[in-house]
Amino acid sequence: TDAEATGLDYRRGAFPYSWSTCDERGKTWFCQWPVDPFSRKVTPNKSEVAFLKRRLRTSTPLFHNAKFDVRMLSLIGIEPGPIWKNYEDTSLAAHVCNAADIPHKLKELAIKYLDIDNDDEQELRERVKYIRHHQAEELGWTLGEEIEMDYWMPMELHRRHPEMADAC
């Protein structure tokens, strides 16, 4: 289970805008909610939140940096409490297995141990950088402090202004 959010600090308004999960059989599920580009507010889909809650209740959730994802779940009304018997955290496991192997970000671990390239993240980063400096400023959108806080922008630009999204 993984959350993408409008920032890293919930105390400064960060809120999840997408969730992805994968079960033991490899069945995946993904949802993405609109982000208001001016207020950066997210409106989660209630039926998708209910589905995610049921899914978490019937499995052993696997997170990478559970502290962050659990906080994001609580923001959409899913409290861990007694619904989870247990959960796993690959970030903690990476620290335990090799404390000197810094950093322990999921993408970097995937590159190192699974030979997965990071072209997708670099492409997203470049696209967001372009949108921030050309289209978002022109449209009056509120920018995050860092590029990673605006990874939602390509989706929202495509939803609101498909003609501009095709140009970048």
Side-chain angles (χ1 to χ4, degrees), residues 1 21-29 54-63 86-88:
T1 297
T21 68
C22 179
D23 67 18
E24 298 83 14
R25 295 176 306 281
K27 184 174 181 181
T28 60
W29 178 78
R54 283 191 308 276
R55 190 159 194 168
L56 291 168
R57 190 180 307 149
T58 59
S59 65
T60 301
L62 174 64
F63 300 101
N86 201 358
Y87 70 88
E88 303 289 336

Side-chain angles (χ1 to χ4, degrees), residues 10 13 43 49 72-73 77 85 114 139 146 167:
Y10 69 94
T43 306
V49 171
M72 292 296 116
L73 285 167
K85 294 178 183 169
L114 302 174
L139 293 167
E146 297 181 23

Side-chain angles (χ1 to χ4, degrees), residues 29-40:
W29 178 78
F30 174 78
C31 71
Q32 196 165 34
W33 305 313
V35 177
D36 181 304
F38 304 101
S39 67
R40 300 176 64 84

Side-chain angles (χ1 to χ4, degrees), residues 10-162:
Y10 69 94
R11 293 170 296 209
R12 298 179 76 194
F15 200 87
Y17 67 86
S18 84
W19 283 95
S20 58
T21 68
C22 179
D23 67 18
E24 298 83 14
R25 295 176 306 281
K27 184 174 181 181
T28 60
W29 178 78
F30 174 78
C31 71
Q32 196 165 34
W33 305 313
V35 177
D36 181 304
F38 304 101
S39 67
R40 300 176 64 84
K41 299 290 182 200
V42 179
T43 306
N45 177 297
K46 290 178 183 180
S47 65
E48 290 173 336
V49 171
F51 177 84
L52 180 59
K53 187 174 187 174
R54 283 191 308 276
R55 190 159 194 168
L56 291 168
R57 190 180 307 149
T58 59
S59 65
T60 301
L62 174 64
F63 300 101
H64 187 82
N65 189 6
K67 180 180 176 183
F68 177 79
D69 288 330
V70 168
R71 173 59 67 187
M72 292 296 116
L73 285 167
S74 72
L75 292 175
I76 60 170
I78 302 176
E79 297 294 337
I83 68 168
W84 301 340
K85 294 178 183 169
N86 201 358
Y87 70 88
E88 303 289 336
D89 187 336
T90 56
S91 178
L92 291 176
H95 281 82
V96 169
C97 290
N98 192 350
D101 191 18
I102 305 294
H104 291 97
K105 291 182 178 180
L106 184 58
K107 182 58 91 171
E108 289 152 346
L109 293 170
I111 292 166
K112 180 174 181 172
Y113 293 108
L114 302 174
D115 200 28
I116 294 174
D117 63 44
N118 75 350
D119 290 352
D120 59 337
E121 187 174 2
Q122 287 182 346
E123 281 179 33
L124 176 61
R125 187 176 185 79
E126 290 304 313
R127 188 158 186 221
V128 170
K129 197 183 294 186
Y130 179 87
I131 291 169
R132 282 169 54 111
H133 291 103
H134 296 91
Q135 294 149 320
E137 287 179 356
E138 176 185 322
L139 293 167
W141 289 8
T142 303
L143 304 179
E145 294 173 14
E146 297 181 23
I147 289 173
E148 294 83 4
M149 295 177 175
D150 292 335
Y151 278 0
W152 55 269
M153 283 186 171
M155 174 227 16
E156 202 56 40
L157 185 65
H158 181 72
R159 194 172 75 73
R160 291 172 180 259
H161 302 281

